[in-house]
């Protein structure tokens, strides 16, 4: 694949984080498979590749799941759904578990996870050292039952027509890659902007984009649907550091039962 050298530029992140990405934020739009390399450090920053995998089953899965909708403070509506495994959350769900998608739509969930196996293969092929580091962390820190089978990922998110604002992927394993696949039809825009490197990526239909989203600022430019059937889906596969705390499932259940008993006893004696 073609290799492109880029130079990192200094940015005032306060002027970017949580604002919408714009095509004016970069000079070069990349629309071909390539490996992006830092001209100074020689580090591989991005692997962007058009895929040859049959996308029929995965698109059908994406189109037949229910998406959670939320409205940001800016008024921007977003649609997304998480998959794989989720860590404890003391307020909402204080135990590790499969995501609700696995129970609500098991066939679609299995299809999304299975597609991740193919993506993991490309991750291993194009950035073998980073993949090995990622895989070693999974083996050391994460129990097998909290890993998406045959991948180095614990979790992921599907975004539907989301022009995500600039952000860093906080909460993921450090110094490894997230792997994003994109499927789109009859849309304009929806490019991935990396303003630090003065480039954007067109992200064609059925492509994969591999990079360290925790260290590289990124956002998605506005998406224009050209007809009612148009769509832009992205699936991001990643590993959550909080999964390190997950116990075997039987122990997770015993733990939450014990906590529930303690809380009920405390309320009764208050």
């Amino acid at each position: 694949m073609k290799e492109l050298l880029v130079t990192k530029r200094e940015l005032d992140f306060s002027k970017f984080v949580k604002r919408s990405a714009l095509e004016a934020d970069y000079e070069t739009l990349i629309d071909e498979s390539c490996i992006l390399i830092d001209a100074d450090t020689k580090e591989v920053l991005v692997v962007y590749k058009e895929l040859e995998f049959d996308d029929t089953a995965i698109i059908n899965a994406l189109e037949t799941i229910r998406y959670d909708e939320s409205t940001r403070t800016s008024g921007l509506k977003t649609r997304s759904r998480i998959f794989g495994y989720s860590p404890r959350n003391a307020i909402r769900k204080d135990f590790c578990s499969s995501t609700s998608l696995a129970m609500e739509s098991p066939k679609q969930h299995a299809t999304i996870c299975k597609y991740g196996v193919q993506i993991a293969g490309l991750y291993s092929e194009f950035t073998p050292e980073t993949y090995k580091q990622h895989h070693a962390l999974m083996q050391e820190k994460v129990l097998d039952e909290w890993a998406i089978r045959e991948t180095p990922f614990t979790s992921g998110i599907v975004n539907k027509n989301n022009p995500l604002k600039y952000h860093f992927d906080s909460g993921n394993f450090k110094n490894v890659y997230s792997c994003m696949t994109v499927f789109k039809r009859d849309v304009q825009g929806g490019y991935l902007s990396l303003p630090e490197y003065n480039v954007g990526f067109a992200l064609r239909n059925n492509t994969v984009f591999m990079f360290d989203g925790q260290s590289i600022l990124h956002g998605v430019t506005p998406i224009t649907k050209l007809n009612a059937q148009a769509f832009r889906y992205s699936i991001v596969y990643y590993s959550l550091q909080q999964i390190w705390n997950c116990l075997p499932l039987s122990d997770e259940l015993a733990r939450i039962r014990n906590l529930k008993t303690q809380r009920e006893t405390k309320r009764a004696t208050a």
Side-chain angles (χ1 to χ4, degrees):
M1 266 200 315
K2 184 176 182 180
E3 294 185 354
L4 300 177
L5 296 178
V6 290
T7 302
K8 188 175 183 178
R9 57 181 181 172
E10 295 298 322
L11 293 183
D12 180 353
F13 289 137
S14 67
K15 295 181 179 179
F16 286 84
V17 173
K18 296 185 179 180
R19 83 152 167 86
S20 297
L22 302 172
E23 293 181 33
D25 292 335
Y26 52 82
E27 294 182 353
T28 303
L29 180 66
I30 297 172
D31 195 21
E32 60 181 333
S33 296
C34 69
I35 297 175
L36 199 69
I37 298 174
D38 188 300
D40 297 319
T41 67
K42 308 307 178 186
E43 174 189 3
V44 174
L45 301 169
V46 168
V47 176
Y48 171 54
K49 180 175 173 55
E50 293 187 59
L51 300 176
E52 298 177 355
F53 307 147
D54 184 351
D55 62 6
T56 304
I58 189 69
I59 290 178
N60 180 68
L62 299 177
E63 292 195 294
T64 55
I65 62 176
R66 178 184 61 80
Y67 291 89
D68 296 325
E69 298 192 9
S70 62
T71 302
R72 306 289 177 89
T73 54
S74 63
L76 177 70
K77 290 186 177 180
T78 63
R79 297 175 178 84
S80 62
R81 197 69 190 270
I82 60 173
F83 61 90
Y85 300 97
S86 60
R88 301 179 198 132
N89 183 302
I91 296 175
R92 292 184 303 227
K93 180 185 67 66
D94 199 9
F95 57 94
C96 299
S97 70
S98 298
T99 58
S100 60
L101 182 61
M103 293 168 275
E104 180 183 311
S105 302
K107 182 177 179 181
Q108 291 92 330
H109 184 268
T111 298
I112 293 169
C113 291
K114 186 176 180 180
Y115 201 83
V117 177
Q118 295 175 284
I119 299 306
L122 294 174
Y123 182 10
S124 175
E125 176 183 352
F126 285 97
T127 56
E129 293 305 314
T130 303
Y131 179 89
K132 287 178 184 176
Q133 179 180 339
H134 197 157
H135 186 263
L137 272 173
M138 286 289 289
Q139 289 189 312
E140 178 186 357
K141 300 290 189 179
V142 178
L143 297 174
D144 287 346
E145 59 197 285
W146 304 117
I148 296 176
R149 192 183 298 270
E150 297 180 66
T151 81
F153 310 118
T154 67
S155 317
I157 188 168
V158 180
N159 293 295
K160 181 179 181 180
N161 303 330
N162 283 349
L164 296 173
K165 294 187 176 185
Y166 282 118
H167 63 284
F168 296 96
D169 295 336
S170 60
N172 294 353
F173 287 13
K174 293 179 174 60
N175 302 316
V176 300
Y177 282 5
S178 296
C179 297
M180 176 175 66
T181 58
V182 173
F183 305 92
K184 63 183 184 181
R185 180 183 301 152
D186 298 334
V187 298
Q188 291 180 342
Y191 304 145
L192 189 72
S193 172
L194 307 184
E196 286 177 273
Y197 294 96
N198 203 21
V199 296
F201 285 83
L203 300 184
R204 291 175 179 265
N205 177 62
N206 204 8
T207 54
V208 64
F209 188 90
M210 298 180 279
F211 77 129
D212 182 355
Q214 185 160 124
S215 66
I216 299 177
L217 183 73
H218 55 287
V220 178
T221 65
I223 300 167
T224 301
K225 296 173 64 177
L226 302 181
N227 55 55
Q229 290 73 45
F231 60 77
R232 181 192 184 277
Y233 294 105
S234 66
I235 312 175
V236 188
Y237 299 89
Y238 49 78
S239 297
L240 290 172
Q241 189 160 323
Q242 288 187 22
I243 295 288
W244 292 4
N245 300 320
C246 293
L247 303 171
L249 181 58
S250 58
D251 292 346
E252 284 288 331
L253 295 174
R255 175 184 173 277
I256 193 61
R257 283 195 294 265
N258 185 49
L259 285 174
K260 184 177 180 181
T261 299
Q262 290 179 17
R263 291 165 183 164
E264 289 174 350
T265 300
K266 185 176 180 180
R267 282 196 296 267
T269 58

